[in-house]
Amino acid sequence: MSLRHGVYLAPFGELADPRVLAEIAAEAEAAGFHGIFVWDHIVRPEEPDLAVGDTWIGLAAIAAATTRLRFGPRVTPLSRRRPQDVARETVALDLLSDGRLDLGVGLGSDSTGEFSRLGEVGAPRERAQRLDEALTVITELWSGEVVHHDGPHNRVDGLRFLPRPVQRPRIPIWVAAQSLHQGPLRRAARYDGLCPEATPDELVQMLSIIAEHRGDLDGFDVVVAAPTDKDRDAYERAGTTWWLAQLPMICTRAEAIARVRRGPS
């Protein structure tokens, strides 16, 4: 499979406006990109005057403004989300886009207090447990079958969620991992892709571990974001399938549009 190219941006500052995200996405599609992916944050405590947009409303705007681009959050921390809400929202986005959504998930980080200062769970171990259970609930609800789930954090008592997603067997799920720790890599192996923060050599090791758990890497996406193309060839040799042009965290509308108009390099 040839390398696909996308745009990776934060909905901060001028880009907090979903109308601006829709405009950038339409420009990216016209320029030949294959996808656009968005950070998912509620607040940036270290930057109290920074405007922060709602990722999910922004994704709806992106879906409505494009016809071909794949899109999604990279990544959403499921420990702070109700899985039944995420199941409904993701199906709606998949329907709105005729099956172009990819769901990136991860632990998120409380390094700036974004979780603890809002009363959310801060401990990484508990956030990981909540992430795993939420993924189980979401994928079961996507099935369209009657779901019975009684876990430590979530309950579904004989309910059926319709409609189902457009995509089969499900909306692709990409899992974030930042190290060679087995937990995140086993989680990624159960789903459809990896969002790594790793060097090319580390990525080779990560994918070797994932392949051991999966049996192979057929159809498995590896989604790398970087501010420059300096190491793109090395990442592609390591197994990357998506290369995302990472825009600066604080980026103006004009800067973002200028970058996407240059197209994949």
Side-chain angles (χ1 to χ4, degrees), residues 118-178:
L118 288 168
E120 302 283 357
V121 172
R125 185 179 296 275
E126 184 174 349
R127 280 190 281 125
Q129 293 168 351
R130 289 174 180 259
L131 170 59
D132 285 327
E133 186 179 356
L135 285 170
T136 296
V137 172
I138 289 166
T139 53
E140 288 178 350
L141 292 174
W142 283 346
S143 74
E145 303 299 326
V146 175
V147 176
H148 297 272
H149 178 91
D150 189 8
H153 306 293
N154 301 281
R155 179 184 176 191
V156 184
D157 189 4
L159 298 177
R160 185 183 187 197
F161 271 34
L162 293 173
R164 293 186 61 194
V166 173
Q167 298 182 81
R168 299 287 191 272
R170 64 175 174 231
I171 295 166
I173 295 172
W174 297 344
V175 176
Q178 297 177 317

Side-chain angles (χ1 to χ4, degrees), residues 100-122:
R100 292 184 283 124
L101 177 68
D102 295 297
L103 177 61
V105 301
L107 294 188
S109 171
D110 195 40
S111 61
T112 64
E114 184 174 350
F115 289 86
S116 54
R117 292 179 66 178
L118 288 168
E120 302 283 357
V121 172

Side-chain angles (χ1 to χ4, degrees), residues 7-29 35-40 52-66 69 71-73 247 249 251-253 256-257 260:
V7 177
Y8 181 45
L9 55 82
F12 302 159
E14 293 183 16
L15 277 57
D17 186 332
R19 296 168 296 183
V20 174
L21 291 181
E23 182 182 12
I24 294 167
E27 292 279 0
E29 185 169 77
I36 186 166
F37 302 93
V38 183
W39 300 26
D40 189 2
V52 177
D54 183 90
T55 292
W56 294 83
I57 299 299
L59 292 174
I62 287 169
T66 57
L69 284 185
F71 68 101
L247 275 60
M249 187 181 76
C251 185
T252 68
R253 168 189 169 277
I257 288 175
V260 300

